[in-house]
Amino acid sequence: MADHTPPALDFDGLRPPSPFLTPEHDAWRAKLRGFIDGYVAPHLDDWDAASDFPDSLYKDAAREGISGMGFREDLGGTGENIDLWHRILFAEEFFRMGSGVVFADLATPWIALPPIINGGTPEMLESVAKPVLAGDKKIAFAVTEPGGGSDVSGFTTTAERKGDVFVVNGGKTLISGAMKADYLLTAVRTGGPGMGGLSMLLIETDRPGVTRGPLPGLQWYNKNNGWLKFENVEVPVTNLVGTENRGFAGLASQFNIERFSGIAATLAMTRTCVAEAIAFARERQTFGKRLIDHQVMRHKIVDMVQKLKVAYAMLDILVWRFSRGELPVADLALLKVQATTTLEHCARESLQVLGGRAYTGGNRVERIYREARIFVIGGGSEEILRDLAAKQMGF
Ligand SMILES: Cc1cc2nc3c(=O)[nH]c(=O)nc-3n(C[C@H](O)[C@H](O)[C@H](O)COP(=O)(O)OP(=O)(O)OC[C@H]3O[C@@H](n4cnc5c(N)ncnc54)[C@H](O)[C@@H]3O)c2cc1C
């Protein structure tokens, strides 16, 4: 018999049912939610105000089997038997609250460690992978340069080989976790111009010649996001990760993971905004009736729900296609644009529904509104991804 119960329009109810999620995924989501509710949610407002979160969270996330997701058990991870959905649920649950840099910094090892585990030396497994997965050491993924982040082929940080060392000169900026990182997985130029001359190099931040500083003014709590400068930094050639001058392929393979995480994060934040807007519009009375009884407001909300459903339909299909070995890069690029612009629109509209109330604290829309823009820039900006899709489609 058909179920005529109206759908719950809360965070969970706003995610259309997916044919691909299993009870095992549900259990993983419940575990993540328990961690966020126990360790993160109670402190989020304080951390937001302080622009920082305590180091102990790294250890908590490691101990609870959260941050080691998908990594080899002998390195301290939870095992490699996971799929793309596990990563997506991770991002969704962390961003349910709008918890910006908590996620960015905790999840950086997903991007920075795989190239090291797959292309680094056995010594790196011991000295880098294990302590990072244990929450004892921190790693940052340092790619963007002051001269620009979109045009990877134009990077100018050089690593010149002199005997047994590379001598590194240049700088990076906007790097998540830079201020606390013990290690950097860095893109450096070891060869000629263009993509072909790039390599990945592990740089310890305590090497002479490495300096760093914070970047004030970014609108999420990220005292730890910063710039790095390299002045004649001597790095052993054994710190090379992967093949010399073939670094771009390694970087690009990490971009897909970053994009799926960004998409999942933005759609989760969108659900939170829309859920709060709906709850408020059902309560708030203006001109003698509830906000949601005004057609303009009702349409605003329906329009947001519609955009969410479209993005989730696209996400479900794309995860399925990637999981069966396809590489629809153009569609992934377009979905990231779809998801991030959906978040921007819905954060704006939800804040509009809340009116001045949004500025008085006690709601997540305000925080998400502040955090929304970065997703349209980081992990492949809107313009760059549209162009990537156009090229892939042969335009
Ligand atoms: C909070 C935060 C955290 C970050 N964390 C990291 C990190 O951990 N590691 C890291 O390496 N980087 C990080 N970044 C940097 C991020 O990856 C870059 O900001 C991004 O790649 C864009 O580079 P850019 O800011 O230098 O912009 P630019 O490349 O200078 O571009 C400026 C603008 O022009 C547009 N544009 C550029 N080229 C074209 C073109 N050909 N056609 C049309 N439009 C174009 C871009 O889309 C962008 O809107 C972070 C950024 C922020 C804000």
Side-chain angles (χ1 to χ4, degrees):
M1 205 203 285
D3 180 2
H4 294 296
T5 316
L9 292 176
D10 55 10
F11 180 81
D12 289 321
L14 282 167
R15 202 266 186 247
S18 168
F20 305 112
L21 291 174
T22 64
E24 205 241 315
H25 293 129
D26 293 341
W28 173 235
R29 184 193 289 287
K31 183 179 163 101
L32 288 163
R33 193 166 293 188
F35 179 79
I36 299 290
D37 287 346
Y39 289 92
V40 179
H43 311 291
L44 218 39
D45 287 342
D46 291 342
W47 294 348
D48 194 9
S51 227
D52 201 2
F53 66 94
D55 279 3
S56 54
L57 193 66
Y58 286 95
K59 289 212 68 90
D60 295 334
R63 191 185 58 248
E64 299 291 334
I66 300 291
S67 50
M69 178 197 65
F71 288 104
R72 282 164 39 184
E73 281 177 83
D74 63 316
L75 300 176
T78 57
E80 293 171 287
N81 192 20
I82 62 157
D83 59 26
L84 203 40
W85 282 117
H86 289 83
R87 297 187 190 283
I88 285 173
L89 295 178
F90 189 115
E92 276 190 18
E93 288 302 315
F94 268 80
F95 278 93
R96 188 166 53 93
M97 303 284 168
S99 51
V101 86
V102 171
F103 173 85
D105 289 4
L106 277 184
T108 291
W110 286 6
I111 302 171
L113 278 188
I116 290 173
I117 292 171
N118 299 328
T121 59
E123 155 65 12
M124 285 182 203
L125 299 184
E126 292 302 319
S127 63
V128 181
K130 281 187 180 176
V132 167
L133 288 172
D136 294 326
K137 297 275 186 191
K138 301 177 191 66
I139 188 164
F141 188 58
V143 176
T144 302
E145 299 197 345
S150 307
D151 183 7
V152 175
S153 68
F155 286 169
T156 57
T157 297
T158 53
E160 196 184 336
R161 184 148 184 180
K162 289 198 174 151
D164 290 343
V165 295
F166 284 111
V167 180
V168 183
N169 282 288
K172 300 287 172 182
T173 194
L174 283 164
I175 307 306
S176 298
M179 296 307 295
K180 289 186 181 173
D182 302 286
Y183 303 107
L184 309 168
L185 182 63
T186 317
V188 291
R189 187 162 297 288
T190 43
M195 306 284 196
L198 293 174
S199 300
M200 283 190 286
L201 192 66
L202 177 77
I203 302 181
E204 296 86 351
T205 51
D206 59 3
R207 286 194 178 276
V210 178
T211 48
R212 54 184 159 184
L215 288 168
L218 290 169
Q219 302 212 332
W220 63 354
Y221 43 103
N222 65 345
K223 253 187 190 161
N224 304 314
N225 188 303
W227 55 263
L228 294 139
K229 197 166 172 192
F230 309 116
E231 286 171 297
N232 294 319
V233 181
E234 294 194 359
V235 181
V237 290
T238 48
N239 275 27
L240 190 70
V241 173
T243 311
E244 193 168 342
N245 295 332
R246 303 283 289 274
F248 181 71
L251 291 174
S253 70
Q254 297 311 92
F255 290 158
N256 288 341
I257 293 177
E258 194 182 6
R259 265 165 219 163
F260 268 118
S261 298
I263 290 162
T266 45
L267 294 183
M269 289 193 281
T270 306
R271 278 154 70 191
T272 296
C273 287
V274 177
E276 290 215 7
I278 291 170
F280 185 77
R282 278 179 164 154
E283 288 292 322
R284 185 74 161 184
Q285 300 274 334
T286 68
F287 298 93
K289 53 186 178 184
R290 300 181 312 162
L291 265 188
I292 206 158
D293 294 327
H294 297 283
Q295 194 184 46
V296 167
M297 281 300 180
R298 203 159 58 234
H299 281 197
K300 236 185 226 315
I301 288 169
V302 168
D303 180 52
M304 291 193 277
V305 173
Q306 173 198 321
K307 287 184 162 61
L308 250 178
K309 285 181 188 266
V310 168
Y312 269 111
M314 209 169 156
L315 175 66
D316 281 346
I317 290 300
L318 267 191
V319 176
W320 176 72
R321 289 180 65 191
F322 270 84
S323 303
R324 62 205 290 269
E326 290 181 51
L327 258 184
V329 172
D331 286 5
L332 182 60
L334 293 179
L335 175 56
K336 170 134 188 307
V337 175
Q338 179 74 26
T340 51
T341 50
T342 294
L343 170 63
E344 274 198 295
H345 171 81
C346 294
R348 189 238 181 239
E349 291 293 80
S350 301
L351 199 133
Q352 194 70 11
V353 172
L354 265 63
R357 179 66 63 89
Y359 288 83
T360 61
N363 70 85
R364 289 166 292 178
V365 176
E366 177 267 341
R367 178 157 58 231
I368 289 173
Y369 183 82
R370 274 189 280 129
E371 294 185 352
R373 288 242 81 249
I374 169 59
F375 290 90
V376 195
I377 298 170
S381 72
E382 188 182 329
E383 293 82 5
I384 296 300
L385 291 183
R386 281 208 175 101
D387 232 31
L388 172 66
K391 277 192 201 110
Q392 294 277 326
M393 291 187 281
F395 299 158

